[in-house]
Structures are given as C-alpha cells and as structure tokens.
Amino acid sequence: MVDSPSEYSTTPCTRQRLKNGRPPRTKRTRQSITSRSGSKVRRSILGDIPENKEIEISTPKTPRKTPKTHVKNLTASASKRLDSGAKIPCSPLEKARANLHLHAAPKHLPCREVEYKSIHSFLVRKINDELTGSMYICGVPGTGKTATVKRVIDSLNADLLMKHSFKFVEINGLRLANPHQAFSVIWKELTGETVSSSRAQTLLNDHFSNKKVKELSTILLVDEVDHICNRKQDVVYNILDWPSQTGSKVVVITIANTMDLPERVLRGCVTSRMGLTRLVFKPYTFQQLQEIIMNRLIGNSSFDPDAVQLVARKVASVSGDARRALDICRRAIDLVKSEDESQLITINHVNQVLNAILSGVRVTAIRCCCLFEQFFLRALRDVTSSTGIEHSTIDSVYTQLKTICLLEGEELPNEQQVLMMAYRLRDSGLTFLEKKRWDIFRKVSLNVSPEDISYALDKYND
Amino acid sequence: MTDSQTKSSFGTALLNLHSGYTDSLPGREKHIDCLKSFLKKHIKDHHSVSMYISGPPGTGKTVSLHSLFASDLVTDNFTLVYVNCSMIKSANRVYAKIAEMLKIGSGTQRECISNIEQYLKTKHKSILMVLDEIDQLSSKNQSILYQIFEWPIIPQSNIVVIGIANSLDLTDRLLPMLKTKVSLQPELLNFPPYTKTELANIISHRLKNAGVAEIFPANAIQLLSAKIASIRGDIRYALDVTRRVIELADDKIDKKIELNDVIAVLNNVYSTSGALDNDDENSEKLPLQQEFVVCALLLLLSSGKKSQVITIGKVFNVFTTICKKRNVQVRDLSEFITMCSLLETRGVIKILGQNINRLSKVLLLWDKNEVDDVLHDKQLLVDVLNDKSLLIQ
C-alpha cells in the first residue's frame, strides 16, 4: 500500500491546491510527507478518486518532475529506440561493409554447390524413405560447413512437401557446459521439457528405440563434435547408436574440423557406428574466395577488383578461411571510412591492413619492453646463438648482460632486478622459465625467434 | 521397369540394408547354438554360470544375443536384465539400473547392492543378466566387475551373467583373480571378424529378402566384401558401403550398379590423402604456405639425426628462410602456429603438448608417399630438399 503509484496521491493534491491557492511545489512535498506518515489520510484520499473523476479531467495538470510515460512504455520505446538507432547504410562503403558482415551470408553459398547438393540429396532420401543414417562433415574452420547444412535445412523448411515431415534439432559441442548436458538440450528441443541429463538420456533412448509410435523423422545436427568426446566417449556412442536402432527415424549429422577424428580419437565401437558417409569441405581456393567476396559486392563498386584478388590470394595461400577474407575486407573499409566516404578501395588499402595484421604482436611486444628488458632479450639471444642450445641459465645471461651494459654505457642492474625482469618477460610470453626453481641458475629460453628480436630492436634504434 | 518402380526397389533395398534390421543371422548360427546350449545347460541343472563374449566392433555380438532374447527359450525361463554400460552416466549407476530392471526398488548404490544380493539369496526365477560394453565398468581396483562376476557364487543365485566387450582377453587382463576358483571362471566365446564369404552371404541374403537381388550384381558384392574383409570384417561398414553405392547409383541416370562405383566408394573411404583429392576436378590441395611448412618439416627430417627432436621454433626458422628465398612475406610466429594447427586438423602433423609454443615438438604423421601425393608443386619440394643452405641459420 505504501508503494502505491504516486499519481493517485498527486492528483488530489492539485485539487487541494486550487482551493487554497498555495504554490504547488510546497504543497506537493507536504502532501507526500503526510501520505507516507499517516496511512489513514491516504486511504481516504484514495477512496475519493472514483467519485471525482470528472473534476480531475477539467483541472489543469501540474507539470511532473519525471514523465510517467517513460516508465510505463519502457519496452515499447526500447524497440523504437533500437529501430531509430540502427543506421540504414547509405553510402556505398557502408553498404559494402554491411554486406561483407558474416551475418549477411547469401541465400545460396557460392562455391559450395556440390556439397550442398550431396547433403540435400542425403537428407531428402532419408526423410522420404523414413531411413536412418549418419554423416560426418569435416573441414578446416571458415569453409562453410555449418552454413551449408543450415541452408539445406532452410530449403527443406521452405519446401511445402518436406516441411512437416521432419524435426530439426541442433546442438553445439562448444555451447555445452559438459558433454552429458547434450541429452537434456536435445530433449528440450524435441519436447520443450527441462529434465536432468541422465533422465533425458533414458527418455531419449526410449524415444528413439520405440517402434510403435508413429514419429516424424528427426535431423540431429551435432556441431563441434570433438568437444563432446569425453574420455569414456559415452555421449557420442549414445548419439550415434540411435540411427542403428531398428525403427528409429533419426539422421545424425556430425561436424568437426579434424579430418581423421573417427580414426584417431574415437573408439572402435563408436567409429563403427559412425559409418563411412563422410564429406570433406576443402579450403577455398583464391578463385573461390574472390567469387565469394564479389558475390557479396554485386551492385557495389566501392572495391577495386584487384584489391579483392589480393585479399583472396593472401588468404588462400595461408588458410583458405572465408571468415578471414571477409574480415580483411571490412578492416580495409574501416581504414577508408575515417578519411573519405566515396572512395574506391585499392590494393594500397588492403596492403596496409595486411601489414597491420602481419607486423606481429611479438615484435610490438619487444618494442614496448623497457630498456633493460630489451637488453635481457639481446643477452639471451646472444647466449643461445653462441651455445646453440635452446636452454640457458639466468646466470649466463647475466654475464652477457654485463657486457651489453658496458657497451651501452648503462648501469648494471643487480641480480634481483634481473630475476624480476625474467619473470616479467615470462608473463608477457616472450620467454620460458624452468618450473619449480627460484635461483639464479634457473633455465630460461626464448619464445620468439632470434630474428624477431634483431628486427624489433634494430628498427627501434633507427 | 518404370522409374517409380526402380525408386521403390532402391528404397526397400536401403531399408533392408539398415544395420538395425535383422531377421536372421547368416554366418553366426554356430555361435547362437553355442549360446543356446549354454543357457539350456543352466536351465537343466540351475547352476549359476558366467560368460564373456569378445569380438571386434560390428561382428554381430549384440544382435545375436538380441535374437536369443526374443526366443521362447529365454522368455519362458528367464528374467531378462540387459544393460548397455555405455548408456549409463557413471559406472556406479549400473547397480541402480540392474535393480530397476529387476523391479526391486531404487536408492543409493549401497542399498541397491544389498537389495540385489538379497534378491539373489531368496527363491526366484532364473536371471539372465547381459552387460554390453562391459569395459566401461572398469575402475581402479575393478571392484564393480569383480562383484558382478562373483554373483554366481552365491548359493541358489540362479543367475547367468554375460559380459560383452571388444578386447579378447579382458577377463584375463582386468580380472585375474577370477581364475582362482574354477566355478567363477567365465566361459569365453569369441566372435571373429566376418570373412569375405560371410559378408557376401549377408548382403545377398538381405537383398534377396527385400526382393531386389537383381539390382546389385554378384561380382560387385564379391569385390565389396573382399575389400571390407581384408581391412576389417565389420558388417556395419560393409552395409554402409553397400548403401552408399546404392544411393550413388540412384542419383545416376541409368540406375545401374557397376564395379567402378564400388571401387570409387571404397577409394573415397580408405585413403588419408584421398580425402584431399578424391576427384581430379581441381588440382588445388594444400594452401601454398602450408606446403612450405610441410617442406620445411621434411627437410629437417631428412637432414637431422634420427633421435633429433624437431620443435616448432626450428621449423619456423627453416620456413622463414624458404619464404625469404621465394619472396613471400614472412609470417609472425603466432600466425605460423595457427597454420600448424590447421595442418594438425588435417592429420598431416601432430603437435605435442597442451599449450603450443615455440618449444613444442612436431611429428609428421604421414609417410613420404602420401606427402608426395599432396604437394602438387613437385619442383618446390625438390628445390627445398636439395637446398642444404636453408638449414644454416
């Protein structure tokens, strides 16, 4: 009762004010005080309201301190605000940027037609003939594995004949807290009930081995399957055992990066159940990457074709990862955006981005070290190259450090300071230190190549 | 034959070739007879016994037992307890599962054990307890396995324990103490991998049952079963390949299965580098810089001593020299490590250790012939391997 909306207490207060002709501000505060202290007064005021409705309308309203509409319409205005906040891309560069975003993937993935067709025909056959099956899809990251499967499912959903003949359940190994949680997630997707994982396991086993119930086909997509392979591998075993049950109509599609996961990681009885239907997504070639980027830039002339080709070739020579290629393009746009709106993105911009990516964290890290840490790295590099052994002791580095300090004309730090330096460099990941040893003979080794050190420090001196 | 008829015949063939579909088990009659006589002997003298069935995956162990479960011999004389130990969350829960199957209540592990043992001591119908994938129950001191295999020693227990697993000598290896008592020693039954003729029999039998024996030529079946039997006599694989061949034939215009189709599917499956170039449609294989990495690794392997350890740092040094010689922009070490992990997902190399850094060891998993297949730039490989100056830092 005490927290009842203030609007009720304020309206009578205005009426009182009109009678007495007192200034509104003081009256209001006094009224609010009374309403808080004496509940009797308030109750009588609240009781008055329905009778005096008509008067209320005629009375002029006091301006409120805080508009109440703000509180009431929070959700509605929030969506309005979100709408108004999202800028519609207007300039060709912004349009290009929006199109190059990962979410803006086209309806039909270019260069993946063969894989699309094979997954599509596999699923259609299984659903039409009410069969079971399992398929293993592998390929390095950014080659469109999940995207292709999703497109197939979308097209099946769009097909009127197929639409109501299957259920689609998707789990991602990386989104599960532990492998066993997979069961409860699948059960929840199937039925909407939340149960514990062990209960879900029994329910699912019954569900998929029950021959009497006329059930729809189920397509189960298990993404990042290598992350649900625990030591016992019972989760993968269970999931892959469903298709081999008589009468079940489940199609399992497993996706992972590793090509030889079934042979290298999984146990024999799991591999045997996984079957031999496999599909390999090869990394994109530079022509394919070029096609993908150009496909997204149709009707947009903000990119120089040569720049696109450079991106495609650079990425294809290393990994063939489409995400990366799109990323570099977007960064190139970012680079231009601050300068000029209607500019063509050329090879120079792309080169700038590539250099920024390639210049390397390690070189930057070395350049950011303080002077004595750089000396320490130099000393360590000298010792390593002179002995030819990766591991050297802090003591020997200290000896070399003395020489360097003499050469550079700096005061020699004491041993304690050198040890602290070694810890700091270890923490930044530039060196390794031997574990469980705390004296001056602790072994130390480089985690950067000697050339990197020379490169970073030479440039610095220039 | 019209188009729709062919389609349906392919459909029935696929349905009949499903690994879960069984009506009879050709090639396993002897084993089933052996199991039957084993059970009959128990029915006759009510002597509690145990048995251990071994065999590689896909040799019909579970299916043979399931076919027995449905027979009158079991349904009339036994209370059936079947637990697949891969389907329970932890090994300890096996007791709760058994208690649930025997309908004697549930509770904590200790309560379940005492309940089960109490049940075994009282007068009851014979129990046939089958534990599938029993190797999952192994623990540090094998207490669960010992306990289960010692239940037959309880007087009037009237129980037949059958354990199933892949390894041939599981009882000898994990449960050596069972040998101390003759009555405890489990009888052993091994399911060998299917031979070529058995596989061919099963496939043709299933196709005949479906009434579509004519779609798959006999010589193709012979070839397929010979190939599978030579690698691993796993019926699941054989059926899977058969289904795959039929599916591919279904996509073709003339809908005929030829020997070439079988060979194509088999080649597609059984070759590591084959996964990379299953078709010669495009010559692209590994990205160029990854080829450099493999070349650098090969050079280090061919030049170094046998016992030499190859770390990422060393490969990186050679890699940078190759890159500089070929006028390729040199990558950062962290980029290089990313490339190495990409190669690792392809199964070309293996990087040892949890967190990968400059001192992690690198192993080449493929042999030289496979690498030769993958590297399409042979000239590069020759140049790199002959250029000893790359090794001098």
Side-chain angles (χ1 to χ4, degrees):
Chain A
M1 280 303 267
V2 182
D3 293 331
S4 68
S6 61
E7 60 214 75
Y8 290 126
S9 56
T10 47
T11 16
C13 124
T14 50
R15 264 188 287 121
Q16 248 173 11
R17 191 203 63 212
L18 283 172
K19 271 181 210 161
N20 303 340
R22 277 182 196 164
R25 177 59 64 89
T26 47
K27 188 68 209 169
R28 196 190 158 191
T29 44
R30 262 181 69 189
Q31 182 61 46
S32 60
I33 289 163
T34 47
S35 70
R36 265 182 214 135
S37 52
S39 58
K40 263 188 188 175
V41 185
R42 256 188 84 239
R43 229 172 259 160
S44 68
I45 290 167
L46 284 172
D48 287 346
I49 296 162
E51 297 164 25
N52 297 326
K53 250 186 182 171
E54 283 178 33
I55 309 165
E56 226 180 292
I57 294 158
S58 62
T59 49
K61 285 204 170 180
T62 16
R64 267 176 242 280
K65 256 187 172 176
T66 49
K68 68 173 180 183
T69 46
H70 179 74
V71 184
K72 263 194 169 174
N73 300 337
L74 189 65
T75 41
S77 69
S79 71
K80 218 183 279 171
R81 257 183 297 143
L82 285 176
D83 282 346
S84 62
K87 265 197 227 160
I88 300 151
C90 42
S91 73
L93 272 186
E94 288 203 327
K95 267 183 202 158
R97 195 184 143 72
N99 278 334
L100 286 171
H101 200 273
L102 287 176
H103 298 303
K107 270 231 165 97
H108 296 288
L109 295 173
C111 313
R112 285 290 176 234
E113 288 87 8
V114 182
E115 286 84 357
Y116 177 90
K117 219 180 128 194
S118 94
I119 298 174
H120 190 268
S121 68
F122 175 81
L123 286 179
V124 166
R125 179 174 290 114
K126 300 288 176 202
I127 293 170
N128 280 341
D129 296 349
E130 303 193 333
L131 290 169
T132 67
S134 86
M135 185 182 224
Y136 177 64
I137 298 175
C138 59
V140 289
T143 47
K145 301 181 293 293
T146 315
T148 309
V149 177
K150 290 274 177 64
R151 290 294 174 287
V152 173
I153 300 292
D154 285 348
S155 82
L156 289 181
N157 268 327
D159 192 342
L160 284 174
L161 281 172
M162 305 294 291
K163 198 177 171 184
H164 299 293
S165 54
F166 74 97
K167 280 187 210 164
F168 176 63
V169 179
E170 182 199 359
I171 59 167
N172 188 326
L174 276 173
R175 291 204 192 116
L176 302 171
N178 59 18
H180 283 278
Q181 210 197 339
F183 297 119
S184 45
V185 173
I186 294 172
W187 186 249
K188 193 167 182 201
E189 292 249 337
L190 272 178
T191 61
E193 295 165 32
T194 312
V195 289
S196 75
S197 58
S198 52
R199 173 99 184 108
Q201 188 174 2
T202 26
L203 284 172
L204 281 168
N205 283 335
D206 291 348
H207 180 82
F208 287 124
S209 57
N210 200 345
K211 295 161 204 168
K212 289 167 201 158
V213 187
K214 187 84 180 152
E215 265 287 338
L216 293 176
S217 297
T218 312
I219 297 174
L220 177 61
L221 172 65
V222 187
D223 209 344
E224 311 283 354
V225 74
D226 42 343
H227 288 269
I228 59 169
C229 296
N230 47 356
R231 205 174 55 81
K232 259 177 83 182
Q233 302 189 352
D234 53 337
V235 179
V236 206
Y237 177 92
N238 253 278
I239 290 174
L240 291 172
D241 197 42
W242 295 330
S244 58
Q245 301 279 350
T246 333
S248 73
K249 284 180 216 157
V250 58
V251 184
V252 180
I253 299 178
T254 44
I255 300 181
N257 291 342
T258 320
M259 298 229 173
D260 47 358
L261 181 93
E263 280 77 28
R264 203 167 56 172
V265 181
L266 299 177
R267 290 193 298 142
C269 53
V270 181
T271 312
S272 171
R273 281 169 175 81
M274 189 176 250
L276 293 170
T277 315
R278 305 211 181 139
L279 190 64
V280 181
F281 278 66
K282 287 180 221 158
Y284 290 111
T285 59
F286 83 90
Q287 293 102 331
Q288 288 173 328
L289 283 175
Q290 209 175 341
E291 199 184 324
I292 290 168
I293 301 172
M294 291 315 270
N295 183 40
R296 289 186 175 215
L297 292 173
I298 288 172
N300 197 323
S301 55
S302 53
F303 259 89
D304 185 5
D306 287 344
V308 173
Q309 193 176 20
L310 179 67
V311 173
R313 277 186 187 271
K314 280 280 176 188
V315 174
S317 83
V318 178
S319 58
D321 185 339
R323 283 196 201 111
R324 203 172 167 130
L326 294 174
D327 236 25
I328 292 174
C329 288
R330 267 181 293 141
R331 272 187 74 165
I333 295 176
D334 283 346
L335 208 68
V336 178
K337 239 167 123 185
S338 45
E339 295 165 12
D340 186 17
E341 279 294 301
S342 58
Q343 206 179 344
L344 188 75
I345 289 169
T346 57
I347 288 185
N348 283 339
H349 294 111
V350 173
N351 251 335
Q352 241 171 305
V353 173
L354 287 171
N355 281 335
I357 292 172
L358 292 181
S359 70
V361 259
R362 276 152 219 267
V363 174
T364 329
I366 295 170
R367 283 185 189 165
C368 293
C369 284
C370 67
L371 188 65
F372 277 105
E373 282 169 358
Q374 288 178 354
F375 286 175
F376 185 91
L377 285 175
R378 269 171 73 183
L380 182 54
R381 178 198 61 187
D382 294 348
V383 171
T384 315
S385 63
S386 67
T387 55
I389 305 163
E390 288 277 357
H391 301 281
S392 37
T393 59
I394 291 183
D395 182 53
S396 59
V397 176
Y398 188 57
T399 326
Q400 180 66 21
L401 192 64
K402 268 184 208 162
T403 331
I404 291 175
C405 283
L406 208 65
L407 198 73
E408 300 280 340
E410 299 281 346
E411 203 180 325
L412 183 71
N414 62 28
E415 289 181 354
Q416 193 59 43
Q417 282 169 325
V418 171
L419 276 176
M420 289 310 291
M421 267 183 231
Y423 294 150
R424 274 204 301 276
L425 286 173
R426 192 259 318 261
D427 289 345
S428 62
L430 293 173
T431 62
F432 300 116
L433 284 180
E434 193 186 0
K435 273 173 195 156
K436 288 173 188 165
R437 191 162 176 181
W438 313 101
D439 57 350
I440 194 89
F441 295 105
R442 196 170 179 183
K443 275 181 189 150
V444 58
S445 52
L446 278 176
N447 192 23
V448 282
S449 62
E451 286 95 62
D452 275 354
I453 296 178
S454 320
Y455 176 75
L457 297 183
D458 279 353
K459 278 273 177 83
Y460 191 65
N461 289 340
D462 291 342
Chain B
M1 203 181 273
T2 61
D3 191 49
S4 65
Q5 271 174 327
T6 12
K7 186 118 193 161
S8 68
S9 75
F10 276 118
T12 44
L14 288 175
L15 193 65
N16 270 270
L17 287 169
H18 180 257
S19 49
Y21 179 90
T22 44
D23 50 352
S24 64
L25 295 155
R28 285 289 174 250
E29 294 88 357
K30 230 195 261 173
H31 294 89
I32 293 174
D33 284 345
C34 178
L35 281 168
K36 269 186 184 160
S37 63
F38 177 73
L39 291 178
K40 270 177 191 155
K41 207 176 127 210
H42 169 80
I43 294 165
K44 217 164 114 192
D45 57 8
H46 288 282
H47 193 74
S48 295
V49 274
S50 59
M51 181 183 233
Y52 171 67
I53 299 176
S54 63
T59 47
K61 303 181 292 294
T62 311
V63 171
S64 306
L65 275 172
H66 272 289
S67 75
L68 268 185
F69 293 165
S71 69
D72 297 340
L73 181 73
V74 173
T75 45
D76 293 350
N77 300 310
F78 289 99
T79 319
L80 183 65
V81 177
Y82 175 80
V83 182
N84 189 332
C85 301
S86 271
M87 304 251 181
I88 50 176
K89 200 170 176 184
S90 67
N92 292 334
R93 284 185 57 85
V94 72
Y95 297 114
K97 195 90 186 169
I98 293 170
E100 190 193 314
M101 301 283 269
L102 286 173
K103 300 190 185 77
I104 46 170
S106 57
T108 61
Q109 188 193 348
R110 201 180 289 265
E111 281 167 20
C112 283
I113 295 173
S114 65
N115 275 350
I116 294 168
E117 286 181 352
Q118 201 60 46
Y119 182 83
L120 290 179
K121 279 170 195 158
T122 54
K123 201 168 157 51
H124 58 89
K125 201 177 167 184
S126 296
I127 300 171
L128 175 61
M129 187 186 291
V130 179
L131 301 167
D132 209 343
E133 310 284 349
I134 204 168
D135 50 333
Q136 296 285 320
L137 292 182
S138 72
S139 53
K140 211 171 180 183
N141 50 9
Q142 314 296 359
S143 57
I144 300 173
L145 282 177
Y146 271 122
Q147 186 151 31
I148 288 173
F149 276 97
E150 278 168 11
W151 278 340
I153 212 173
I154 298 173
Q156 271 97 51
S157 58
N158 244 345
I159 188 169
V160 179
V161 178
I162 298 181
I164 307 177
N166 294 137
S167 54
L168 191 67
D169 54 346
L170 181 122
T171 47
D172 293 346
R173 213 154 28 87
L174 301 184
L175 307 168
M177 304 293 269
L178 286 184
K179 277 186 189 159
T180 50
K181 215 161 184 188
V182 180
S183 60
L184 273 179
Q185 213 161 332
E187 224 169 289
L188 300 178
L189 181 65
N190 181 40
F191 279 63
Y194 283 109
T195 60
K196 176 186 153 190
T197 39
E198 283 168 341
L199 285 177
N201 271 344
I202 295 171
I203 295 170
S204 52
H205 178 82
R206 287 201 178 199
L207 286 173
K208 214 178 279 168
N209 270 13
V212 285
E214 73 282 352
I215 62 165
F216 217 99
N219 55 355
I221 295 181
Q222 287 297 330
L223 173 74
L224 192 152
S225 35
K227 277 271 183 187
I228 300 277
S230 70
I231 297 163
R232 48 201 293 182
D234 186 336
I235 186 64
R236 284 201 201 96
Y237 273 15
L239 292 176
D240 210 44
V241 171
T242 320
R243 270 180 285 158
R244 193 89 195 117
V245 171
I246 293 178
E247 278 174 16
L248 287 182
D250 201 358
D251 289 340
K252 288 203 299 189
I253 305 149
D254 57 350
K255 304 208 181 279
K256 261 191 193 145
I257 296 166
E258 283 156 18
L259 277 182
N260 280 342
D261 301 334
V262 179
I263 293 169
V265 170
L266 284 170
N267 281 345
N268 198 352
V269 168
Y270 289 113
S271 55
T272 40
S273 51
L276 284 165
D277 56 347
N278 45 5
D279 295 310
D280 44 349
E281 44 178 68
N282 51 2
S283 58
E284 193 279 333
K285 284 148 196 181
L286 278 176
L288 182 71
Q289 301 214 4
Q290 294 185 15
E291 282 190 8
F292 286 174
V293 179
V294 177
C295 283
L297 192 57
L298 275 178
L299 179 65
L300 279 171
L301 277 172
S302 63
S303 66
K305 283 166 252 155
K306 288 273 180 205
S307 59
Q308 193 194 20
V309 181
I310 295 173
T311 60
I312 286 196
K314 277 182 192 162
V315 184
F316 181 60
N317 284 343
V318 178
F319 171 74
T320 42
T321 353
I322 296 175
C323 279
K324 271 178 198 158
K325 276 215 164 169
R326 311 211 146 237
N327 215 357
V328 174
Q329 202 166 10
V330 181
R331 300 256 153 186
D332 179 45
L333 182 63
S334 42
E335 277 283 313
F336 180 76
I337 289 173
T338 324
M339 247 182 332
C340 286
S341 55
L342 283 181
L343 278 172
E344 197 183 9
T345 61
R346 292 194 157 206
V348 186
I349 59 172
K350 184 168 174 60
I351 304 169
L352 301 176
Q354 279 284 308
N355 36 1
I356 300 165
N357 50 40
R358 199 164 156 268
L359 298 182
S360 309
K361 287 168 196 161
V362 187
L363 301 176
L364 185 69
L365 292 184
W366 285 1
D367 63 11
K368 208 143 180 236
N369 292 337
E370 280 175 308
V371 174
D372 276 352
D373 282 348
V374 171
L375 296 179
H376 67 266
D377 194 350
K378 297 281 189 292
Q379 194 58 44
L380 166 89
L381 182 66
V382 173
D383 282 356
V384 168
L385 287 185
N386 289 333
D387 195 353
K388 298 290 174 197
S389 67
L390 290 170
L391 285 171
I392 301 157
Q393 299 300 316

